[in-house]
Amino acid sequence: MADYLLRGGRVLDPAQGLDVHADLRIRAGRIAEIAPQLAPEAGETVIDCAGCWIAPGLVDIHVHLREPGQSHKETLQTGGEAAITGGFTSICCMPNTEPPLDSPALVRELLQRAERESPCRVYVVAALTQGMRGEQLCDYEALKRAGAVACSDDAFPVQSVAVMRCAMRACAAVGLPVLTHCEETVLTAGASMHEGEVSVRLGLRGMPSSAEAIQIARNALLALETGCHLHIQHLSTAMGLELIRFFRRQGASVTTEVTPHHLLLTHHACEGFDTNAKMNPPLRTPADVDALSEGLILGDIDCIATDHAPHARFEKEQPFGLAPFGIVGLETALGCVLQWNADRGEPLSPLELIARLSTRPAQILGLPAGTLRTGAPADVVVIDPEVRWQVDPTQFRSMGKNSPFTGWTLRGKARYTFIGGVKVSGE
Ligand SMILES: [Zn+2]
Ligand SMILES: [Zn+2]
């Protein structure tokens, strides 16, 4: 195994509060040393990191890898390649596969396959209910023993409050966090975008903000009562954020994430009927985007997650109302977030950005990642924060080309990605 000396970068580790210009040594797959002006040792490959950040590999706790069952959209391999290209070293895959990941055997099998087929570390989020049908609970203890790090019925949110309460109580008992896509589906049936002035003008059925807020309030109440850790997925509304703040003040264990697209785009992106602007939750109003941005800056929103959702071209090339929800995000997330930070006047320091992209998401699900501590596995990303680049989906490693950022110029890109000390991405 090759050893590396990453030289002359800005070393950022939120876990240790570290922000210094220094060198970082990777030896035998682990972080060996961080100090200014380290002398190269025999056999070490020296990489010049001038002008770059050296940070713990990024962590995305919300990814759809589409396996098993939908390998025409993405595979463990292509999804993993997209992740490492984007600077991610750990990703969590969602259970809405075919079949859904609702049994220990399926979780175990996917983890074993990922070990062989994915160049990125993969963690599994198991289903919250059997078949993700929102009726019967899963065996959470067995799922946890099989390696699941959390449970979620993302894409098919549990509608019955009684089922949700039992599920959260049972997950709390075994210490599994519950991740929820918050959507009261009686309010969103047949809808394809946010309900507001744009949906009215386009003549499309819309999803009201209340559909998200109602379930955030419901789930947070249940978190208070059951002691379950609740993580709200892809928060999209200002009202939802206010509710999370309220329930945290009451002592609920609630965390949340925001996607890059909900920080950069509004429902106006749907005006050309571009199906790459169709996602669930939908793009909301400029006021929502401002509120989410403020929440991320203040730390009320804990982390960034992509909700990477690849679809085949023929699926997205349907009329707006018929096309599936979702966009890819692994290869654009870092550039989007740095661009967002630049657009807003750099409210977040590099250290705070890395906290939201790596350390904090790892903490939320208890993943062994998000730090450059000496002795830790060398999951490291070298980021060029200034480079400008144009988004061209034909260059994506992901099989999904469905990006609303096509043609955009973004700022910042991963230059090298290391996993366990192995350089998995970068020239
Ligand atoms: Zn979702
Ligand atoms: Zn999702």
Side-chain angles (χ1 to χ4, degrees), residues 89-164:
T89 54
S90 295
I91 55 179
C92 297
C93 65
M94 290 298 135
N96 61 329
T97 50
E98 289 171 12
L101 305 173
D102 61 0
S103 76
L106 285 164
V107 170
R108 236 179 262 120
E109 186 185 335
L110 191 70
L111 282 170
Q112 282 168 12
R113 279 191 57 200
E115 187 83 35
R116 290 194 304 269
E117 296 169 33
S118 168
C120 187
R121 295 189 201 272
V122 173
Y123 295 91
V124 170
V125 174
L128 188 60
T129 64
Q130 287 182 33
M132 304 183 77
R133 285 187 297 270
E135 293 162 4
Q136 261 136 34
L137 306 193
C138 298
D139 183 345
Y140 304 118
E141 200 172 358
L143 288 172
K144 190 178 182 184
R145 253 186 283 117
V149 294
C151 287
S152 175
D153 274 1
D154 181 29
F156 304 99
V158 175
Q159 297 302 300
S160 158
V161 65
V163 171
M164 195 63 189

Side-chain angles (χ1 to χ4, degrees), residues 270-294:
C270 302
E271 274 162 350
F273 295 99
D274 177 2
T275 58
N276 288 330
K278 181 176 177 180
M279 56 280 281
N280 190 0
L283 299 170
R284 305 279 187 186
T285 67
D288 289 306
V289 171
D290 287 345
L292 295 174
S293 296
E294 189 197 49

Side-chain angles (χ1 to χ4, degrees), residues 126-411:
L128 188 60
T129 64
Q130 287 182 33
M132 304 183 77
R133 285 187 297 270
E135 293 162 4
Q136 261 136 34
L137 306 193
C138 298
D139 183 345
Y140 304 118
E141 200 172 358
L143 288 172
K144 190 178 182 184
R145 253 186 283 117
V149 294
C151 287
S152 175
D153 274 1
D154 181 29
F156 304 99
V158 175
Q159 297 302 300
S160 158
V161 65
V163 171
M164 195 63 189
R165 190 167 188 270
C166 290
M168 287 178 73
R169 180 175 280 166
C171 282
V174 300
L176 272 179
V178 170
L179 281 43
T180 60
H181 168 132
C182 291
E183 179 183 348
E184 192 70 19
T185 55
V186 289
L187 297 180
T188 59
S192 52
M193 65 175 295
H194 171 68
E195 181 185 277
E197 39 146 342
V198 181
S199 68
V200 169
R201 208 176 329 121
L202 299 182
L204 292 169
R205 191 175 299 188
M207 305 184 187
S209 296
S210 57
E212 176 174 276
I214 286 166
Q215 283 219 345
I216 288 176
R218 183 198 75 170
N219 294 349
L221 276 166
L222 297 176
L224 255 182
E225 224 166 50
T226 61
C228 178
H229 180 78
L230 171 69
H231 178 76
I232 308 285
Q233 298 179 292
H234 45 44
L235 178 69
S236 70
T237 57
M239 182 54 74
L241 177 58
E242 276 309 316
L243 287 165
I244 290 167
R245 288 179 171 129
F246 171 81
F247 281 101
R248 278 183 166 168
R249 286 198 298 273
Q250 311 306 307
S253 179
V254 184
T255 51
T256 189
E257 69 193 25
V258 65
T259 68
H261 48 275
H262 286 111
L263 289 173
L264 283 171
L265 298 170
T266 70
H267 58 161
H268 291 285
C270 302
E271 274 162 350
F273 295 99
D274 177 2
T275 58
N276 288 330
K278 181 176 177 180
M279 56 280 281
N280 190 0
L283 299 170
R284 305 279 187 186
T285 67
D288 289 306
V289 171
D290 287 345
L292 295 174
S293 296
E294 189 197 49
L296 185 68
I297 293 161
L298 295 175
D300 294 338
I301 295 175
D302 300 82
C303 67
I304 313 258
T306 64
D307 195 10
H308 178 81
H311 292 292
R313 198 178 298 272
F314 73 87
E315 295 167 316
K316 274 294 200 182
E317 280 177 357
Q318 297 183 77
F320 199 91
L322 298 177
F325 293 105
I327 58 162
V328 291
L330 286 168
E331 289 166 89
T332 50
L334 179 62
C336 281
V337 171
L338 296 192
Q339 187 63 52
W340 164 86
N341 199 45
D343 291 346
R344 301 246 161 199
E346 311 223 327
L348 291 180
S349 69
L351 194 66
E352 290 167 327
L353 287 166
I354 296 302
R356 286 155 180 74
L357 283 160
S358 174
T359 309
R360 189 76 188 111
Q363 283 168 351
I364 289 170
L365 295 189
L367 310 181
T371 180
L372 296 176
R373 244 185 221 106
T374 306
D379 290 7
V380 180
V381 61
V382 176
I383 295 168
D384 183 339
E386 295 300 332
V387 65
R388 277 143 169 102
W389 61 284
Q390 207 176 25
V391 179
D392 174 6
T394 65
Q395 303 295 309
F396 284 171
R397 309 301 291 267
S398 170
M399 286 164 67
K401 310 299 176 192
N402 45 315
S403 171
F405 301 110
T406 300
W408 282 40
T409 299
L410 299 179
R411 170 140 106 173

